[in-house]
Amino acid sequence: MSTSSPVPFGARLAAAIEARGRVCVGIDPHASLLASWGLEDTLAGMEKFALTATEAIAPHVSIVKPQAAFFERFGSRGVAVLARVVEAAREAGALVCMDVKRGDIGSTSQAYADAYMDPRSDLASDAVTVSPYLGFGSLDPFVETARRTGAGIFALALTSNPEGASVQRSITADGRTVAASILDDLRALNADASPLGSFGAVVGATIADPGTSLAINGPLLVPGFGAQGGTVADMQRIFGDAAANVVPSTSRGVLQAGPSATALADAARAANDEVAVLGR
Ligand SMILES: O=c1ccn([C@@H]2O[C@H](COP(=O)(O)O)[C@@H](O)[C@H]2O)c(=O)[nH]1
């Protein structure tokens, strides 16, 4: 039996970005995209969309981000397709961030961590999005499971939707914003990590001034690039010196190029080229 420790997510992500670029492409089988691909809004249509997109895009990017909701809406058979997407992405050499935004009381969070981070589950991914809004400490099971399995987390800090600010920019009893306190907690988890910690934040490409340091020595998953209007210039403004740790994420911006596999691959490569400036 091997006793070697798993390579942490942060180190694996840093190497993947070096090899394949920093863009993350979301696998989001929206009903509207199925229609534009000429597919029916059925389980079979969703399966065709998700696997075509994953097989075309995953060989060209460091990481993909399936949005679980678009699979869950087809019930258990949709979740089975999600497991196949995870498998197909990994076979193509891409990391997988499962976008499920989970978080609950600690004992329930452990069950979510088992589902999405433990290799014994067919939904186990390299990283998972988590919600810290039951208190950062409620994420401990995700943190401990990540350390044990070599997975990572992305905690929602400053999300791309305009409604997020009403909670995330609220001032806590110690005078920090809620988002700043989440970022501080992530920075502490990443304190000794090199080249990159495994405990990341979600920060939208559509936000105004973050109002706090985004340097957490961990990855910054940045949705809102593309269809939601966020640009490379926005990311340079928002992230400043932390831009080197940014993983811009776009779903519809690439997926709308389908159903041609060649066009999807070209769109993924173009997105990668567009954001390459962030690391320089
Ligand atoms: O703050 C957040 C957190 C997550 N998302 C998710 O990212 C994609 C965005 O899709 P686009 O088509 O590129 O707009 C989607 O799955 C969201 O649930 C986000 O947008 N903002």
Side-chain angles (χ1 to χ4, degrees), residues 15 49 71 89 94 97 114 131 142 195 218 239:
F49 179 100
F71 298 82
C97 173
D114 291 344
S131 171
F142 291 101
F239 294 97

Side-chain angles (χ1 to χ4, degrees), residues 130-139 143 153-159 164-165 167-172 174-190 199-203 210 212-220:
V130 294
S131 171
Y133 294 106
L134 272 76
F136 198 84
S138 70
L139 300 181
V143 171
I153 65 170
F154 288 100
L156 302 176
L158 286 161
T159 57
V167 173
Q168 295 152 12
R169 292 182 187 265
S170 298
I171 306 296
T172 63
D174 63 18
R176 294 176 296 172
T177 62
V178 170
S181 76
I182 292 164
L183 290 159
D184 287 348
D185 285 334
L186 291 167
R187 188 178 299 109
L189 290 174
N190 291 323
F199 304 103
V202 176
V203 178
T212 189
S213 170
L214 298 173
I216 60 168
N217 191 33
L220 298 158

Side-chain angles (χ1 to χ4, degrees), residues 214-240:
L214 298 173
I216 60 168
N217 191 33
L220 298 158
L221 181 67
V222 184
F225 168 55
Q228 294 177 47
T231 64
V232 170
D234 288 326
M235 290 189 271
Q236 288 172 316
R237 167 183 58 80
I238 294 164
F239 294 97

Side-chain angles (χ1 to χ4, degrees), residues 115-173:
Y116 296 109
M117 304 166 86
D118 189 309
R120 289 172 293 185
S121 162
D122 62 2
L123 295 171
S125 301
D126 299 283
V128 62
T129 56
V130 294
S131 171
Y133 294 106
L134 272 76
F136 198 84
S138 70
L139 300 181
D140 283 353
F142 291 101
V143 171
E144 285 153 20
T145 305
R147 289 192 168 125
R148 180 170 55 78
T149 64
I153 65 170
F154 288 100
L156 302 176
L158 286 161
T159 57
S160 69
N161 58 316
E163 305 86 357
S166 66
V167 173
Q168 295 152 12
R169 292 182 187 265
S170 298
I171 306 296
T172 63

Side-chain angles (χ1 to χ4, degrees), residues 28 65 67 99 101 159-160 202 223 225 227-228 250-252:
D28 292 20
K65 183 179 76 64
Q67 172 51 260
D99 195 352
K101 301 182 181 67
T159 57
S160 69
V202 176
F225 168 55
Q228 294 177 47
T250 173
S251 306
R252 287 167 291 179

